[in-house]
Amino acid sequence: MQIITEPREMQAISEKLRLNRQLIGVVMTMGALHEGHLSLVRLARETAGIVILTLFVNPRQFGANEDLHRYPRPFEQDIALAKAAGVDYLFAPEASGIYPETFQTSLVCGTLADKFEGALRQGHFNGVATVVAKLLNITKPHIAVFGEKDAQQLAIIRRLVADLNIDVTIVGAPIVREENGLAVSSRNIYLTSGERSNASILCQGLQHAGTCIALNRRDLSAIAAEVDAMVRSVQGFIPDYVSFVDEETFEPADNAEQGREYRMIMAVRAGSVRLLDNAKFLCR
Ligand code: PAF
């Protein structure tokens, strides 16, 4: 595995790989790699001959009161995990390489980024979209794999690629869960052991929603309110939102139409950590 830090060098390598007709897959991360990221690498590997993993803690997607400075950065461990997972190139630029002093141009997302995570984290998705566009231009992949855990981010990236005619296929990868159902995340290390075991309530909430829908209930907002109450019943767990949404637009859905798919999304504050989870349901 080669470690590249200079955007120009990465671009030159990718250009050469493309000329040699290699299929490039990219997995973008902020490091602190875990089983979720490794599953993205495996999925990229299924299609692509060359896998590039980007590792960059993007300052522009953190709000002023967020955890940029305490975000975990176990670089040596990340190198070992990426290598063991079969990554070909690890692109780990400096912040000054991505945002030199001359940097001025940023992307502004539309209404898709105003709701849910976007409403609670001002400017977050503009920061994500800008860095994702830059990393696509630097790594020049044929496919880019993103986790479904960050479902709104994935929808925004699909929109970005379509709106800006970027020639890449975006692949969504299923959520990887711990044994108790907690979706794996780099921030889970901040949970106390009590919070970690109580965090199974999110997954139980999604299961409850699945049972309701299987029983042909159509009242999505009532089901979401039940799941919200389930989560709230755990001491110290405060939902920021629990809602069914349209998969593409992230417009909230109150009642189900037959034959349509909806995603239940939730964000929950558990002590000092925000947990995200979601699942897709087909209403028969
Ligand atoms: O999902 C993440 O880890 C980040 O938002 C991403 C896509 C790597 C952009 O910084």
Side-chain angles (χ1 to χ4, degrees):
M1 182 180 80
Q2 236 175 290
I3 300 176
I4 314 291
T5 56
E6 289 304 320
R8 274 195 182 287
E9 191 187 353
M10 187 71 253
Q11 258 175 336
I13 290 171
S14 288
E15 189 54 34
K16 205 164 162 195
L17 290 167
R18 277 186 162 255
L19 287 172
N20 288 337
R21 297 189 169 278
Q22 294 272 18
L23 223 85
I24 305 175
V26 72
V27 173
M28 297 183 188
T29 79
M30 299 205 298
L33 300 184
H34 51 61
E35 192 45 43
H37 297 119
L38 303 180
S39 76
L40 306 185
V41 170
R42 284 193 290 272
L43 197 57
R45 172 63 72 209
E46 278 178 23
T47 323
I50 297 290
V51 177
I52 302 174
L53 186 130
T54 71
L55 194 168
F56 179 61
V57 184
N58 175 32
R60 289 184 178 244
Q61 68 187 75
F62 288 79
N65 304 321
E66 293 184 22
D67 58 348
L68 172 62
H69 295 295
R70 75 161 193 170
Y71 199 83
R73 289 173 173 81
F75 191 50
E76 294 305 320
Q77 184 185 305
D78 284 347
I79 293 176
L81 285 171
K83 205 168 168 181
V87 168
D88 298 289
Y89 295 93
L90 176 68
F91 177 57
E94 296 288 339
S96 58
I98 296 295
Y99 302 115
E101 273 176 23
T102 49
F103 183 85
Q104 297 199 8
T105 311
S106 294
L107 290 177
V108 179
C109 301
T111 53
L112 187 49
D114 293 344
K115 332 176 225 284
F116 300 108
E117 282 308 284
L120 292 161
R121 305 181 66 187
Q122 287 297 316
H124 168 69
F125 285 126
N126 292 342
V128 170
T130 302
V131 84
V132 167
K134 283 175 70 78
L135 292 171
L136 288 173
N137 283 332
I138 294 168
T139 57
K140 301 174 183 266
H142 299 89
I143 66 159
V145 185
F146 294 89
E148 281 177 1
K149 185 174 85 64
D150 296 307
Q152 195 174 1
Q153 167 173 285
L154 178 57
I156 285 168
I157 292 169
R158 288 192 194 282
R159 193 69 267 143
L160 154 80
V161 160
D163 288 350
L164 300 187
N165 304 88
I166 302 178
D167 190 11
V168 65
T169 301
I170 302 297
V171 178
I175 296 175
V176 176
R177 298 181 179 280
E178 296 187 0
E179 229 168 79
N180 72 349
L182 170 64
V184 304
S185 161
S186 304
R187 290 181 170 107
N188 288 354
I189 56 164
Y190 299 128
L191 294 167
T192 64
S193 62
E195 287 164 349
R196 207 178 185 114
S197 67
N198 286 340
S200 59
I201 194 70
L202 277 76
C203 188
Q204 286 165 25
L206 294 172
Q207 281 162 358
H208 173 71
T211 306
C212 294
I213 285 172
L215 291 170
N216 280 327
R217 276 182 61 184
R218 297 277 178 256
D219 49 345
L220 298 182
S221 40
I223 300 170
E226 287 164 21
V227 174
D228 183 285
M230 277 174 77
V231 174
R232 236 171 248 284
S233 73
V234 177
Q235 207 196 350
F237 278 40
I238 305 164
D240 278 334
Y241 55 79
V242 178
S243 181
F244 281 93
V245 294
D246 173 274
E247 169 93 309
E248 245 181 70
T249 62
F250 268 67
E251 283 301 330
D254 292 332
N255 292 296
E257 283 170 35
Q258 199 177 2
R260 277 196 59 184
E261 285 184 330
Y262 299 91
R263 197 170 280 275
M264 172 174 262
I265 55 168
M266 62 172 97
V268 176
R269 276 174 283 145
S272 65
V273 184
R274 281 183 85 244
L275 303 171
L276 298 189
D277 209 339
N278 68 79
K280 189 159 81 171
F281 300 101
L282 171 65
C283 294
R284 292 182 194 283

